[in-house]
Amino acid sequence: MASDARVRRGGKVWGARLGGRTSRRVEEYTSSVAVDRRLFAEDIQGSLAHVRMLRAVGLLTAAEASRLERGLGSVQTELERDTFVFQPADEDIHTAVERRLGEIAGDVAGKLQTARSRNDQVATDLRLYGRRVCGELMLAAAGLQEALLDRAREHRTTVLPGYTHMQRAQVVSLAHHLLAYVEMLQRDVERLENAQRRSDVLPLGSGALAATTLPIDRDVTAAELGFSSLTANSLDAVSDRDFAVEIVFACALLMVHLSRLGEELVLWTSSEFGFAELPDAYATGSSLMPQKKNPDVLELARGRSGRTVGALVSLLTMLKGQPLAYNRDLQEDKQPLFDAVDIAASSLAMLTEVVRVLRFDTTAMRRAAGDPGLLATDVAEWLVGQGVPFREAHGLVARAARRAADGRRSLDRLSPADWSAIDPRVGPEVTKLFDPQRGLRRREVPGGPGPRAVSRQLARGAAMVTATRRRVALLAEPADRGGAVRARRRR
Ligand code: ARG
C-alpha cells in the first residue's frame, strides 16, 4: 500500500504528478478553503455515505469502513468545535478533511477517494447544501408571510390610497396592500421549492468526468443521502450548476420583492407620508443631525438586493464559456451562491421583525384616503350602472374634476346642482359616493380590496403558510429514509 507521505508529496493529493513545491502564490490564488470550509458538514456527510456504499459493494472491508467512519467523525468534531487547524497546502475543504483523516486514521484514509473525484464530491456537497437552504428559505419566507397576514388581519377596513405612478389613484385597505407581498412571497416559496427539487439529484459516482471502472452502487449512496434520483450523464453531472443558478435566481427575485417592501416602508416612515413609524430599537440615528431617525434596515434590504442580482450575473457569466466537463472556473460558484442565500435569509428574518413591530398611523392613512379624487372612478362606474357608457361617464367625471379644480374645490364639494349642470343624468345621490369606506365595500370581486374579498385572501394566505411548513417538514425527513419515502410517494 502506498504510504501517505509518498502519495501526498508537498501536502497535495495530486502532489506525486508534479515535481518540487507549488508556488506559494499559486496556493493562495487557487485556494477556496476560506469560502468552502462552511461546507464541511455536507462534505463529511457525503464521505460517510460514500464509505458505506464502498463497504456495501465490497470495495472496503468492515474494519476499514469503520476506521474511516470513526476518523471522519473525529474530523467533524474538530471542525464543529473550531479546533481544526487548516494548513497552507489545504486547497479546499475536501482536501483538508482528507488530509486530517490521514493524520487521524492512518493509511486507510488513502481508500476514501476510491471511485470518487473531487469533481463529483464538490457537486454533491453543493447539492446537499442547496437542498437544505431551500427548505430553510421557504420557512423564512413563510414566517414573513405570517407576519404580514397577522398585521393584515388587524387592518381589513383601514383605508389608505392606492397609487399608480406614485399619484393617488383609488382607495384600498392596508390589509390588501400587505397581502400583495404575501402573494409575491408565495411565488418565491414555489421557486425555492422548485430549486430544491432541482438540487435533489445525486452526482456522486460520476467520478472526475467519466464515472469509474469500479463496481460501485450509486443507488446505495443516493439512499444514504436521501437523494430522489441519480444524475443521468457523468459529464453533465460534474459540470452542471443549474441548480445553483436557480437557487440564486429565486433569492434575487425574492430580494427584489423585499427591496420593494423596504422602499415602500422608507416612504411610509417619511414625514411626507407619515403612514408608519419604526420603534426606536429598529431605527438608527445620525452622527451629525440630532433630530434624525433613519430607516437604515429597510435601506439595507433594498441595497443588498443589488448584491443578489450581481450574484446571479456572476454565476451565469462564470458558466457560459465552459467546455465540458469540470473546469476550475466552477470553484467560483460558491461565493455568489452563499452570498445570495445569506442575504435572502438575513433579510427575511429582519423584515419579519420589522413588519411585526411597525406602528401604522391609521389616522394619517385615513386622512390621505379621504381625498375625494380617489373616488372619481367610482362615480364613473356608478354612472355605468345608470346606463351611461363608460367612456362617456369617464369624460363626464373628468369635466367635473376640472370644474372642481378650477374653482379650487375638491370633487366632493361640487353640489348636486353643479353635477346636473355638467350632465342632467347625474342625480343628487352622487354626493353620497364620496365615502372611502363605502368605496372599499363596493370592491368585492375576487382579488379585490373589499373586506370580504380580503378575508378570502387572508384564509388563502394562512393555508399557504401551513402547506409550506408541512411540505418542508416532509422534505426534511431523516436522510437515510427520505429518499425511499419520497420515491414511494412519487409512485
Ligand atoms: N475546490 C474545487 C471546487 O470547488 C474542488 C474541485 C477541484 N477539482 C479539480 N479537478 N481541481 O471546484
Side-chain angles (χ1 to χ4, degrees), residues 32 36 91-92 94 118-119 122 326 328 330-331 334:
S32 58
D36 61 28
E91 277 185 42
D92 50 30
H94 326 290
R118 269 185 298 158
N119 298 351
V122 70
Y326 179 88
R328 194 62 177 265
L330 288 168
Q331 180 167 288
K334 287 165 210 71

Side-chain angles (χ1 to χ4, degrees), residues 38-50:
R38 64 187 276 182
L39 287 176
F40 77 82
E42 286 82 7
D43 195 65
I44 288 171
Q45 189 189 354
S47 289
L48 288 170
H50 185 64

Side-chain angles (χ1 to χ4, degrees), residues 31-309:
S31 173
S32 58
V33 76
V35 175
D36 61 28
R37 57 184 292 174
R38 64 187 276 182
L39 287 176
F40 77 82
E42 286 82 7
D43 195 65
I44 288 171
Q45 189 189 354
S47 289
L48 288 170
H50 185 64
V51 165
R52 288 176 195 138
M53 182 280 290
L54 292 176
R55 164 71 196 117
V57 299
L59 285 166
L60 289 176
T61 66
E64 287 170 332
S66 72
R67 279 216 299 287
L68 286 170
E69 285 187 41
R70 255 182 289 120
L72 286 165
S74 308
V75 177
Q76 173 140 23
T77 305
E78 290 185 7
L79 283 156
E80 278 164 358
R81 300 204 179 135
D82 215 11
T83 55
F84 188 100
V85 184
F86 285 94
Q87 303 294 338
D90 293 337
E91 277 185 42
D92 50 30
I93 187 64
H94 326 290
T95 51
V97 168
E98 195 187 338
R99 186 231 349 123
R100 185 70 188 126
L101 181 66
E103 290 162 8
I104 293 172
D107 281 355
V108 71
K111 294 204 169 189
L112 176 65
Q113 214 63 350
T114 306
R116 186 170 75 158
S117 153
R118 269 185 298 158
N119 298 351
D120 56 350
Q121 182 180 357
V122 70
T124 301
D125 291 5
L126 213 56
R127 283 173 180 273
L128 285 168
Y129 167 84
R131 217 174 52 169
R132 173 170 61 80
V133 295
C134 285
E136 289 168 7
L137 288 171
M138 285 167 71
L139 290 180
L144 177 52
Q145 284 177 306
E146 189 165 61
L148 290 161
L149 286 162
D150 287 345
R151 299 311 305 269
R153 232 169 260 122
E154 302 162 22
H155 294 289
R156 278 169 62 246
T157 56
T158 302
V159 287
L160 84 164
Y163 297 79
T164 61
H165 312 273
M166 269 315 280
Q167 309 290 321
R168 285 180 186 167
Q170 294 182 334
V171 176
V172 295
S173 70
L174 178 53
H176 195 58
H177 195 115
L178 297 173
L179 287 167
Y181 287 96
V182 171
E183 292 298 322
M184 288 182 225
L185 287 161
Q186 186 58 24
R187 295 191 294 273
D188 295 324
V189 166
E190 288 166 17
R191 270 183 286 274
L192 287 163
E193 191 167 5
N194 213 46
Q196 177 170 58
R197 212 168 296 130
R198 193 77 80 186
S199 307
D200 187 21
V201 186
L202 176 75
L204 208 61
S206 302
L209 74 162
T212 176
T213 59
L214 294 165
I216 59 168
D217 186 341
R218 298 183 66 204
D219 287 321
V220 171
T221 326
E224 282 286 339
L225 294 172
F227 277 103
S228 295
S229 59
L230 307 177
T231 53
N233 179 296
S234 63
L235 291 169
D236 181 42
V238 293
S239 58
D240 168 33
R241 293 296 184 272
D242 292 3
F243 65 98
V245 172
E246 290 177 42
I247 294 170
V248 173
F249 171 64
C251 290
L253 190 45
L254 167 76
M255 282 306 298
V256 167
H257 295 151
L258 299 191
S259 176
R260 295 179 68 182
L261 176 60
E263 165 63 6
E264 290 214 304
L265 296 181
V266 167
L267 287 173
W268 284 13
T269 54
S270 70
S271 312
E272 278 66 20
F273 271 82
F275 287 178
E277 193 191 350
L278 287 167
D280 287 357
Y282 292 84
T284 42
S286 159
S287 54
L288 190 143
M289 298 166 282
Q291 86 286 12
K292 289 300 292 286
K293 178 170 171 184
N294 294 328
D296 291 29
V297 157
L298 303 168
E299 294 163 308
L300 283 169
R302 194 175 59 189
R304 286 182 187 152
S305 67
R307 279 169 58 194
T308 60
V309 175

